[in-house]
Amino acid sequence: MRHARVKLAALALWGTTLIATPAPAAPASQVEQPGHIALVRLFADWRAFNHPAITAGRPDYSATAMAAKARRLADFRRRLGTIDRRGFNAAQTGDWRLVEAEMNGLDFFHRVLRPWARDPGFYQTIFAEMSDVPAHEGPSAEPNIDLHNFTYPLSLGDDARLTQLIGAVPAMLGDAKRNLAPSKAHDLWAYGDRAFLEQADVLAHLEAGTLVMNDLGGKRPATLDGASPALRSAIRSARLATEDFARWIKAEAPRRVGSSGIGKANYDWYLTHVTLSPYNFDQQVTLLQRELDRSLASLRLEEVRNRTAPPIAEISDPAAYRRFAEARTEKLYRLLVDSGFIADRPYYRAALAAQIGVFTPPAERNFFTHITALDPLPLASHQTHWIELARLRFDPHPSPIRQTPPLFNIFEDRSEGFATAMEEVVMQAGLYDDIPHGRELVWAMLANRAARGLASLRVQANEIDLAEAGRFHAIWTPRGWSDASSRLVGFEQLLYLRQPGYGPSYIVGKAQLDHLLALASHRAEQEHRSFVAADAFAAILESGIVPPILIEAEQAERR
């Protein structure tokens, strides 16, 4: 997970260039409240504390270092508890609860998850693509080496920085072998080499000058033209060390024979105290099963409705497909703006357009590219993720505590759930009125997300292993579009094991957005006024990327 620095003034990042932008004026009650000022100071100290000790790019995740960090957590909790919250409004209280949740997250990581000592995948640190959520999905060691954050060809300063970071990878992976000695979590090992095969592939492409990265600006190449011999040597050494680490994981996996899930009791604690979810394990099972049932039933009824409509004519020419995808993205953007779901901002349009997909040959398709081959719109609707990231960069929240991504994937319900919800929101708002079969694709995507989330819950409860989860995930995905042996299914189920709550978050967060919209509807009814979608969505987005339960409290105060 990328641990972003606290930004007391908003900064827009494009490549590695930091461009200062005026921070929005905070409400007077926020900046004048002494307790909130103290909270912001604590937050800055807290975020600095969260980083491991790093020497020349090499982090210390040893048992001794982690035990020392765990002992210091009590000091931060005491400081948080002494902050005077008298007079706090709902947003300030929400900030306090968000900081408390992060502290609970660190506690959970030390008591239960302990990724530095249990999870080989924790030590994957080199990434070519920007995550579509505020930070990396799942836990990862620091420092993250986000290649997409550099401008190529590299400046002398960036060359030296990247040389140091990549040059530290072999030593860090050597440390990882010692740190992971106690781990018995079999599934984390059985599937753990995949991350390092991926990392080795990224480094190989970087060496060869064929690496393509992706971020808010879209895809672009990473060239080593003019790079120093020291950097080239560091990349090669890191690739060789990464390949060796992958082989080591594979060799060790048969000897690591323990369970990998955290169990229901730990899972419930995490939901309550870290992600601030209103649903416990059993309630999530019920909710996801209901959505699986609803999506499959709705899919079949859509097929009945569309029985006389001609099937979607698949486009097989890559250039024609690109033009088709561009037109579809523009159609989506216009509906989002015209319906009032988002404001019309050039950087929102650019962020969405930068993620337009390309044609995928039939032999190379996974579940999502089976969808996009027929119509890019359903997945593009989920790509409102990138509009959220543009908002985080260019329209930062007034509170410094919300200007940077929450730690420990606390954003999962808000980010993944709301993106999933938008697939159905825009469908109900008329996106597919002239595309009958498009609605079928939306229901198929929802069924897939419910099925994989249900499987992940059973893995966390140690009822099934990842292989069984993959089979459940695939057989409950309609139309035979999911393959249990595919790279995608393996990646998803491993991520959901590594990061509790992530698998169900697509459905759980969607339900919470539905609830927020229901509350807005009810208020409009009670106040004898029309429901205005633009106002409802603007009020929800005003709170930033925080757990939906905090958004609900803030909306209640605004009444």
Side-chain angles (χ1 to χ4, degrees):
M1 182 186 306
R2 180 176 65 247
H3 298 298
R5 294 184 295 273
V6 178
K7 293 179 276 187
L8 299 183
L11 292 174
L13 174 62
W14 202 279
T16 54
T17 303
L18 288 173
I19 307 168
T21 59
S29 61
Q30 198 164 64
V31 298
E32 294 174 358
Q33 184 64 249
H36 194 264
I37 293 171
L39 180 64
V40 169
R41 291 196 188 105
L42 170 59
F43 180 70
D45 294 343
W46 160 251
R47 283 303 186 89
F49 165 74
N50 263 277
H51 299 295
I54 300 174
T55 303
R58 180 181 180 180
D60 186 356
Y61 284 104
S62 66
T64 300
M66 292 297 96
K69 186 169 285 289
R71 287 193 295 271
R72 290 189 59 197
L73 175 59
D75 295 334
F76 283 92
R77 282 182 153 162
R78 279 193 291 271
R79 284 181 61 185
L80 183 66
T82 61
I83 288 176
D84 184 359
R85 288 182 281 158
R86 289 175 296 182
F88 269 24
N89 59 28
Q92 292 163 341
T93 299
D95 280 352
W96 189 95
R97 291 192 65 192
L98 192 58
V99 176
E100 180 190 43
E102 289 193 356
M103 293 182 183
N104 291 337
L106 184 62
D107 173 49
F108 184 83
F109 266 46
H110 280 274
R111 286 190 301 104
V112 178
L113 206 60
R114 303 179 66 247
W116 48 82
R118 293 179 70 244
D119 178 9
F122 179 73
Y123 292 96
Q124 179 190 16
T125 56
I126 300 175
F127 305 94
E129 296 193 351
M130 181 180 180
S131 174
D132 63 1
V133 291
H136 286 294
E137 298 169 325
S140 62
E142 292 187 61
N144 286 168
I145 306 172
D146 289 313
L147 297 174
H148 55 83
N149 277 345
F150 291 84
T151 300
Y152 301 83
L154 296 164
S155 66
L156 290 177
D158 281 347
D159 185 295
R161 176 64 176 152
L162 203 50
T163 299
Q164 182 187 76
L165 289 171
I166 294 179
V169 167
M172 182 198 69
L173 294 179
D175 294 339
K177 291 180 180 181
R178 291 186 290 275
N179 298 342
L180 290 163
S183 176
K184 302 295 182 184
H186 175 73
D187 274 351
L188 293 176
W189 288 84
Y191 290 74
D193 65 325
R194 300 181 182 200
F196 297 94
L197 296 174
E198 176 185 307
Q199 178 165 296
D201 185 62
V202 167
L203 288 166
H205 279 290
L206 185 60
E207 279 185 278
T210 55
L211 182 65
V212 176
M213 305 171 301
N214 186 49
D215 61 10
L216 263 177
K219 296 186 183 299
R220 56 191 175 91
T223 173
L224 290 183
D225 292 348
S228 68
L231 175 57
R232 292 179 182 274
S233 176
I235 293 169
R236 183 175 186 276
S237 296
R239 176 177 59 79
L240 293 175
T242 298
E243 291 168 351
D244 173 74
F245 196 68
R247 288 191 293 270
W248 177 74
I249 294 170
K250 192 173 185 65
E252 287 289 312
R255 294 193 285 273
R256 313 291 178 134
V257 295
S259 59
S260 297
I262 62 173
K264 289 176 64 173
N266 285 325
Y267 189 89
D268 281 344
W269 193 95
Y270 185 77
L271 294 177
T272 300
H273 299 285
V274 183
T275 65
L276 307 184
S277 175
Y279 304 108
N280 63 23
F281 181 98
D282 290 331
Q283 290 169 326
Q284 288 196 353
V285 169
T286 300
L287 179 59
L288 268 68
Q289 184 63 58
R290 167 59 185 143
E291 283 296 89
L292 179 58
D293 295 345
R294 187 176 74 93
S295 57
L296 290 173
S298 297
L299 168 62
R300 299 314 176 194
L301 294 173
E302 290 288 353
E303 290 172 345
V304 172
R305 178 187 184 189
N306 300 328
R307 63 191 180 278
T308 61
I312 297 174
E314 189 174 325
I315 298 172
S316 57
D317 175 66
Y321 181 87
R322 175 71 186 191
R323 292 191 295 272
F324 175 62
E326 288 172 349
R328 286 297 209 234
T329 300
E330 178 60 21
K331 177 183 177 72
L332 170 63
Y333 185 77
R334 285 268 42 102
L335 183 136
L336 288 169
V337 170
D338 294 346
S339 299
F341 300 137
I342 63 170
D344 190 2
R345 300 281 188 270
Y347 36 88
Y348 294 173
R349 181 192 292 272
L352 193 62
Q355 304 306 318
I356 292 174
V358 297
F359 172 77
T360 305
E364 300 174 16
R365 289 175 189 165
N366 60 28
F367 170 74
F368 289 109
T369 47
H370 278 300
I371 297 285
T372 57
L374 296 174
D375 199 316
L377 274 177
L379 191 58
S381 304
H382 193 84
Q383 300 290 27
T384 50
H385 268 316
W386 294 92
I387 293 174
E388 288 276 85
L389 296 179
R391 183 181 295 113
L392 189 63
R393 179 176 292 180
F394 297 108
D395 295 333
H397 193 276
S399 169
I401 293 169
R402 304 189 193 195
Q403 289 173 11
T404 189
L407 300 181
F408 309 112
N409 282 215
I410 290 172
F411 56 78
E412 59 192 19
D413 284 0
R414 170 63 178 78
S415 293
E416 296 290 15
F418 282 26
T420 301
M422 289 307 297
E423 299 167 18
E424 193 171 335
V425 165
V426 294
M427 177 182 77
Q428 302 292 16
L431 186 62
Y432 301 97
D433 283 359
D434 57 346
I435 313 169
H437 292 293
R439 296 173 63 93
E440 298 169 19
L441 303 180
V442 175
W443 293 120
M445 285 176 59
L446 184 59
N448 171 267
R449 292 198 171 96
R452 71 190 189 185
L454 277 170
S456 75
L457 283 165
R458 294 185 64 194
V459 172
Q460 290 292 1
N462 292 310
E463 296 173 359
I464 60 174
D465 62 15
L466 282 186
E468 293 172 286
R471 289 192 290 272
F472 182 94
H473 177 156
I475 65 175
W476 281 97
T477 295
R479 298 187 173 179
W481 283 344
S482 184
D483 179 356
S485 63
S486 68
R487 178 181 175 184
L488 176 64
V489 169
F491 164 79
E492 290 174 333
Q493 288 300 329
L494 179 60
L495 168 62
Y496 306 154
L497 170 59
R498 298 180 63 235
Q499 180 58 58
Y502 211 96
S505 70
Y506 299 80
I507 302 299
V508 171
K510 175 185 178 299
Q512 291 178 80
L513 178 59
D514 288 344
H515 181 59
L516 291 171
L517 292 175
L519 291 175
S521 168
H522 181 67
R523 284 194 294 270
E525 291 275 1
Q526 294 300 300
E527 296 167 7
H528 306 289
R529 57 179 174 80
S530 298
F531 173 83
V532 180
D535 293 345
F537 275 83
I540 290 168
L541 298 177
E542 183 180 339
S543 293
I545 300 176
V546 297
I549 198 168
L550 301 184
I551 301 174
E552 182 178 346
E554 290 166 25
Q555 288 196 328
E557 184 180 74
R558 295 185 197 127
R559 292 180 60 183

